[in-house]
Amino acid sequence: TAFALFCSNSQDEQHLSQWVTKCSLNPRKILSLPDATIEEGNAAELTWFDPNILWTYSSGNIKSLSKNSPVLDKEFRGKSLGVYSKNQLFIN
């Protein structure tokens, strides 16, 4: 929901680039992890998003055992569509 909350409250693509930097690149720097790169031979760790898709957050979207959220039944713009990590594909 973090990506959806951001996209729903921002109209500027430059802000989207800053969000990606702050949520993915900066934590790697803080933890002294190497930069993630897409290169032959590297393990793929990818997340893909659609910043324009409209959708409604419901209890069916919650993967946790706890099914409460302050944003249940709210419509959002922007969604994470899937993750590829550790040779596994997860589709949202």
Side-chain angles (χ1 to χ4, degrees), residues 4-60:
L5 283 162
F6 174 82
C7 287
S8 296
N9 293 289
S10 175
Q11 299 295 326
D12 187 347
E13 280 198 31
Q14 181 179 358
H15 287 141
L16 179 57
S17 176
Q18 291 173 353
W19 185 87
V20 170
T21 297
K22 289 178 181 184
C23 291
S24 64
L25 302 177
N26 286 354
R28 295 186 71 82
K29 289 178 185 176
I30 291 167
L31 297 172
S32 299
L33 297 173
D35 289 341
T37 58
I38 299 175
E39 294 180 15
E40 187 174 341
N42 283 3
E45 299 286 333
L46 306 169
T47 303
W48 62 99
F49 303 92
D50 182 335
N52 297 309
I53 192 169
L54 296 176
W55 65 290
T56 301
Y57 186 71
S58 69
S59 62

Side-chain angles (χ1 to χ4, degrees), residues 14 21-23 41 48 54 67 70-71 73 76-77 84 89:
Q14 181 179 358
T21 297
K22 289 178 181 184
C23 291
W48 62 99
L54 296 176
K67 299 293 183 194
V71 294
D73 302 319
F76 290 105
R77 181 178 56 85
Y84 183 81
L89 178 63

